[in-house]
Amino acid sequence: MNDAPGIDTKAMQAALDARVAELEALLESAAISRTDTELDQQRIGRLSRMDAMQQQAMEDETLRRRQRELSLCRSALRRIEDGDYGFCTACDEPIAPRRLENDPSAMLCIGCAGRAG
């Protein structure tokens, strides 16, 4: 299959490559600065511990979202290499170029995305 018409795959690849590099740097930085929450009740107060646990939960969710986005970007780059980029993975119809400009890692057309969500 060839790339969908009206899509500048070179520009999309450049945008995806840049986002992959950014996400990898963010994930590496997060891994270096990550600390586990201290749960010793004798060392810190209950409210401080609760705040620390909430902060850790938010950091964990941010990490999960970045890993998911990285996976989607890498998948889009593979579709570019395979010549399948710009086509919906559910129905094989072209994905609107404006949708891909907004989210270069999109793998579903707007119709299928609406049914999936």
Side-chain angles (χ1 to χ4, degrees), residues 4-23:
I7 297 172
D8 183 355
T9 54
K10 295 222 184 285
M12 294 293 123
Q13 184 171 7
L16 287 162
D17 284 336
R19 186 62 181 153
V20 164
E22 180 182 5
L23 288 166

Side-chain angles (χ1 to χ4, degrees), residues 23-62:
L23 288 166
E24 287 174 341
L26 288 168
L27 289 170
E28 184 177 331
S29 174
I32 291 170
S33 65
R34 179 159 171 73
T35 58
D36 287 327
T37 302
E38 177 66 52
L39 297 177
D40 184 2
Q41 293 182 14
Q42 303 299 333
R43 294 189 61 195
I44 61 174
R46 186 176 71 107
L47 292 178
S48 294
R49 203 171 47 256
M50 289 173 60
D51 286 343
M53 290 170 62
Q54 182 180 16
Q55 181 65 32
Q56 185 175 7
M58 290 187 310
E59 290 171 2
D60 290 345
E61 180 60 19
T62 298

Side-chain angles (χ1 to χ4, degrees), residues 2 4 8 12 16 26 44 62 67 71 75 85 91 98 115 117:
N2 292 325
D8 183 355
M12 294 293 123
L16 287 162
L26 288 168
I44 61 174
T62 298
Q67 289 171 332
S71 176
S75 177
Y85 185 75
C91 70
R98 292 200 57 190
R115 286 189 289 276

